[in-house]
Amino acid sequence: MSAQDVRDSIEYLRRHSSITEEGGVTAEASDRNAPYHPLNALVIDGASLSIVMDDPECRSLLLEIAPLFKSVVCCRASPLQKAEVVKLVKDGLGLVTLAIGDGANDVSMIQTADIGVAISGEEGLQAAMASDYTFGRFHFLQNLLLVHGLYDYLRMSEMILSFFYKNVIWAMVPFWYSIYCAFSANVFYDLSYIQLYNVVFTVAPVAILGCVDKPFNYQTAMTYVVVYKDGIRNRYFQWWRYFLYVLDGIYQSVVIFFTFYLFTYTSDVQNPSGRTWGRSDLSTGPTVAVVIAASLCVGMNSWQWNWIMAVAITLSIIVCIVYIAISSAVRYYSLEGVATSVMSTIEFWFGVIISVVVALLPRYAIMSWQKLNRPRDLDIIREIKVLHRPWYGQVYVDPDSPIEFPDKDPKHHRPHLRKHKKQQQQQQLE
């Protein structure tokens, strides 16, 4: 077989990629109205594969026709050819590739792919040592992709965006302060606030979001596998979402700083003992407001609001306030007397409440509108889970069909469903 023969074969498949419903290839390549059905498989042996890889035109033709098939089988291929095929697909189509193998001859392929998976078995541990993930059976691959892969993609996407957001809101507040001090070297935050913000005050909610957050349980992920396409299409980690988080952080920093600035613009704020607010006192209010807003915003972004997330958010806020109270009691410390000076004034508490509510209101409104009017696949499946209709495996529900309820009401049943159930029971009694 020559390179021209391989080129002619690939060209024939490219021109006749549409097939009839009976499975036969259409005779006329110009028939554009014929329905397209993916061909079953393309089989290439090692000899033909070596010719394809040596000819640039054959490689481009192979990349063109490979997506037309459900699968492409390369049989009798050497370890180097396996790696070349993976590299061809990764570089030529710009896709994220996964390679799975169980022996030493699969090591080069596993290392070339973006994600390497090994099956530990009777052929040694060479593949396991070169892979990113290792499991004992091949059918565990669906768990790795459809469940853990989906969970990790959603967690990492939201965690990274939330981390950028909480640093933007923290860093932009001193910027607005610099406008009123001629952009001098005057530091707005106390140095201890700067050191503890990312390490102590706001680390717990983001860590919980990136480690244990998930939209639904294992059984739901294995049933509604269509949501896995969201990761393939990268719907939750796109550039425009990054800029939206940055813009939201800038907006919230404006609201938080100027809320406290307006309280001190017309007159000085004094506590009951007569002490006037200074720089440390003024920065304490925005610090507390930023910690509360950032923690609550991470909770709003999480898919699952459970007791772990609630405890993390609550502790973050409490730790910040307790630290200020303890530091203000230490003599000769930079924050000495701040708690008694600030927390005894109504301006502080009104400023914190008003700034946090106004800062988070647009995000809450947009998220509510999106879930009600433009729901994604994940939102629809989560709604199915909460409403307990339909049960697993059923996707479409007739609006006029009666609602089936379990023997015991779930903990999170919605009020209108309880009312609907009572109406059904009354109709049955009548």
Side-chain angles (χ1 to χ4, degrees):
M1 180 180 292
S2 62
Q4 184 61 37
D5 296 333
V6 175
R7 192 180 300 111
D8 294 341
S9 300
I10 297 177
E11 184 68 21
Y12 174 82
L13 291 173
R14 184 183 65 82
R15 292 181 179 179
H16 300 80
S17 58
S18 297
I19 62 174
T20 61
E21 295 180 356
E22 292 76 17
V25 181
T26 55
E28 297 182 2
S30 60
D31 188 6
R32 302 300 180 186
N33 296 324
Y36 172 71
H37 300 277
L39 299 171
N40 288 331
L42 172 65
V43 181
I44 306 177
D45 59 358
S48 302
L49 190 60
S50 62
I51 298 175
V52 171
M53 292 302 174
D54 293 337
D55 192 332
E57 184 178 355
C58 289
R59 288 201 301 269
S60 61
L61 291 174
L62 180 62
L63 287 175
E64 184 178 351
I65 68 167
L68 304 176
F69 295 88
K70 294 181 180 179
S71 60
V72 178
V73 180
C74 300
C75 59
R76 303 292 181 181
S78 64
L80 181 60
Q81 288 177 332
K82 295 179 182 179
E84 289 178 346
V85 171
V86 173
K87 183 175 177 57
L88 178 65
V89 174
K90 182 173 68 173
D91 298 339
L93 299 180
L95 301 177
V96 178
T97 56
L98 182 146
I100 181 170
D102 61 348
N105 58 343
D106 300 319
V107 170
S108 59
M109 175 183 64
I110 291 174
Q111 293 179 338
T112 304
D114 296 297
I115 303 171
V117 180
I119 303 175
S120 59
E122 299 179 356
E123 298 194 21
L125 298 176
Q126 290 87 348
M129 292 187 293
S131 64
D132 301 310
Y133 302 94
T134 303
F135 42 73
R137 296 183 180 181
F138 185 81
H139 73 267
F140 291 154
L141 181 63
Q142 62 179 356
N143 299 359
L144 177 66
L145 296 179
L146 302 180
V147 181
H148 302 290
L150 175 66
Y151 289 172
D152 290 344
Y153 170 74
L154 296 176
R155 290 168 183 168
M156 296 304 297
S157 299
E158 203 61 52
M159 185 196 71
I160 293 173
L161 294 176
S162 298
F163 199 89
F164 275 107
Y165 148 78
K166 76 183 187 69
N167 282 278
V168 168
I169 184 177
W170 175 255
M172 289 302 296
V173 171
F175 175 79
W176 310 122
Y177 171 77
S178 300
I179 297 176
Y180 299 94
C181 62
F183 291 95
S184 63
N186 193 9
V187 180
F188 179 66
Y189 294 126
D190 185 79
L191 295 181
S192 61
Y193 294 158
I194 299 175
Q195 294 173 345
L196 297 177
Y197 176 76
N198 278 317
V199 178
V200 177
F201 294 160
T202 59
V203 67
V206 177
I208 298 299
L209 179 67
C211 294
V212 301
D213 189 39
K214 58 183 179 180
F216 32 67
N217 57 19
Y218 170 85
Q219 186 177 4
T220 306
M222 291 297 294
T223 302
Y224 301 100
V225 295
V226 67
V227 296
Y228 184 71
K229 293 183 179 179
D230 291 343
I232 298 176
R233 297 168 182 171
N234 196 21
R235 289 182 174 177
Y236 293 94
F237 197 63
Q238 296 182 351
W239 62 269
W240 59 268
R241 294 198 73 210
Y242 167 78
F243 284 107
L244 284 180
Y245 275 67
V246 171
L247 290 176
D248 189 28
I250 295 174
Y251 161 77
Q252 294 186 21
S253 67
V254 171
V255 171
I256 290 173
F257 174 78
F258 284 98
T259 298
F260 286 92
Y261 175 77
L262 292 176
F263 280 121
T264 59
Y265 178 72
T266 55
S267 61
D268 296 331
V269 180
Q270 296 181 352
N271 64 353
S273 62
R275 173 176 170 174
T276 305
W277 277 15
R279 179 188 57 81
S280 299
D281 303 315
L282 177 61
S283 65
T284 300
T287 299
V288 175
V290 168
V291 170
I292 296 175
S295 301
L296 292 178
C297 188
V298 173
M300 293 170 59
N301 296 336
S302 64
W303 292 101
Q304 187 181 37
W305 186 271
N306 49 25
W307 68 270
I308 302 178
M309 180 62 73
V311 169
I313 294 175
T314 305
L315 286 179
S316 298
I317 299 173
I318 293 177
V319 167
C320 178
I321 297 176
V322 169
Y323 170 77
I324 295 173
I326 295 176
S327 300
S328 63
V330 178
R331 195 173 183 182
Y332 304 117
Y333 192 60
S334 59
L335 296 176
E336 180 184 359
V338 169
T340 56
S341 175
V342 173
M343 296 183 181
S344 60
T345 62
I346 193 173
E347 287 85 358
F348 170 79
W349 297 108
F350 267 96
V352 170
I353 295 174
I354 293 173
S355 61
V356 171
V357 171
V358 176
L360 296 180
L361 188 60
R363 174 176 285 268
Y364 177 80
I366 293 174
M367 292 177 65
S368 301
W369 180 89
Q370 180 268 321
K371 294 183 184 299
L372 292 174
N373 298 280
R374 299 285 297 275
R376 303 186 182 96
D377 293 338
L378 279 171
D379 301 325
I380 296 172
I381 294 173
R382 286 162 57 83
E383 186 78 7
I384 290 173
K385 275 284 297 179
V386 172
L387 295 178
H388 291 270
R389 55 173 298 202
W391 300 105
Y392 292 113
Q394 184 183 358
V395 177
Y396 174 75
V397 176
D398 187 0
D400 299 329
S401 62
I403 302 176
E404 297 180 0
F405 292 89
D407 296 335
K408 296 181 179 180
D409 290 339
K411 292 187 294 184
H412 303 292
H413 234 303
R414 295 193 175 186
H416 69 273
L417 289 181
R418 297 197 198 101
K419 182 178 178 181
H420 188 79
K421 182 178 180 180
K422 291 180 180 179
Q423 293 177 355
Q424 285 185 342
Q425 292 175 350
Q426 292 177 358
Q427 292 177 359
Q428 291 177 0
L429 293 175
E430 293 176 358

